[in-house]
Amino acid sequence: NSNNLVAINGKGISAYHYALDSGYRPNFQTAISYFDQALQIDSNNLVAIKGKALSLLGIGNFDEAIVYLDKVLQLDPNNLGALLGKGYAYSSSGNNIAAITAYDNVLQLDPYNPRALIDKALNLYSLERFNEAIQLFEIVLSQNPNNAEALAGKGSALIASDKKDEASNYLDRALQIDPNNVIALIGKGNTLQGTDRNYEAITYFERALQIDPDNIKGLLGIALAQYSQG
């Protein structure tokens, strides 16, 4: 049975990583079916519980993912992956306060965890707590000045704080490191929108939409820039 369990979990992990790498979402469901088989053999198997939780995140079933992430944390209370997963699930569900709490639990264990700092900052940004968000992005940048996510996040928070000139430097640096950073592309569009460089603003928004076609900020940015052009 133990050999069987390892083999089944192995198939689940392979299916999960294939879904993650290829973007082929149905494979997350395949992974879940393998992890369910493993859990029939051992309902407390940590690998299978965590694998199922992450696969549920992959298909966007955030409520059920949280149930399984909590099971991981019952067996392994300091599991950073599960705590980060809860933050992601709550954030994706629009529950910014619960997401921040989850990221705080990560930061109690690992105060400079860049993923937790950035994602907590993004949730603070969503709550319009821009100064607090900027402080967290600065902590990340103090550890790694070339973190494109933190540069883009700080730039966007500065725009929201009416500091467009200061923001542009951070956004430019983010795009030098990661030309496909959607947050930075939207931010650059926002710094130019409403000026005599509306055409440039539209090109930034269009680049963002090529990467993320349903991005509301990109769609709105193009509409506003076109309106400003008259």
Side-chain angles (χ1 to χ4, degrees):
N1 253 14
S2 61
N3 288 341
N4 202 20
L5 188 61
V6 171
I8 292 168
N9 274 334
K11 289 179 180 178
I13 291 166
S14 294
Y16 170 78
H17 282 294
Y18 178 79
L20 208 60
D21 295 340
S22 69
Y24 185 65
R25 286 168 61 89
N27 245 57
F28 286 123
Q29 202 66 58
T30 304
I32 289 169
S33 68
Y34 283 121
F35 293 128
D36 280 339
Q37 287 178 45
L39 291 169
Q40 286 176 353
I41 298 169
D42 177 6
S43 61
N44 287 322
N45 184 271
L46 187 59
V47 172
I49 296 169
K50 187 174 180 181
K52 182 170 181 177
L54 294 175
S55 299
L56 288 164
L57 289 177
I59 61 172
N61 188 340
F62 301 119
D63 289 342
E64 194 177 354
I66 289 168
V67 171
Y68 279 87
L69 291 166
D70 280 335
K71 288 182 180 181
V72 172
L73 292 167
Q74 285 170 8
L75 297 168
D76 182 8
N78 294 338
N79 191 297
L80 291 181
L83 291 168
L84 286 167
K86 282 187 74 173
Y88 175 78
Y90 282 127
S91 181
S92 300
S93 304
N95 191 340
N96 302 115
I97 297 295
I100 288 167
T101 299
Y103 293 127
D104 279 338
N105 289 333
V106 175
L107 294 169
Q108 284 178 356
L109 299 168
D110 182 6
Y112 293 101
N113 185 289
R115 183 76 273 143
L117 288 165
I118 289 169
D119 287 348
K120 179 181 176 182
L122 291 172
N123 280 276
L124 288 166
Y125 179 97
S126 294
L127 295 171
E128 299 185 3
R129 291 161 62 179
F130 304 123
N131 287 336
E132 290 172 79
I134 288 169
Q135 288 171 8
L136 295 184
F137 290 130
E138 285 174 346
I139 293 171
V140 176
L141 293 170
S142 72
Q143 303 296 309
N144 177 9
N146 293 323
N147 186 302
E149 286 184 274
L151 289 165
K154 183 174 179 181
S156 296
L158 286 167
I159 292 170
S161 306
D162 293 323
K163 297 175 181 175
K164 282 189 177 182
D165 291 341
E166 190 181 345
S168 197
N169 171 50
Y170 289 96
L171 299 168
D172 286 338
R173 284 168 58 196
L175 290 170
Q176 284 173 359
I177 297 160
D178 178 10
N180 293 324
N181 186 294
V182 171
I183 290 175
L185 289 168
I186 298 287
K188 277 298 289 185
N190 284 332
T191 62
L192 299 168
Q193 185 266 318
T195 70
D196 58 1
R197 297 170 66 187
N198 270 310
Y199 178 78
E200 282 181 76
I202 290 170
T203 63
Y204 280 108
F205 292 131
E206 285 176 342
R207 281 172 59 191
L209 290 168
Q210 285 174 353
I211 300 160
D212 181 8
D214 298 322
N215 190 292
I216 298 296
K217 291 180 180 178
L219 293 165
L220 181 61
I222 285 180
L224 290 172
Q226 288 173 338
Y227 179 78
S228 298
Q229 281 182 321

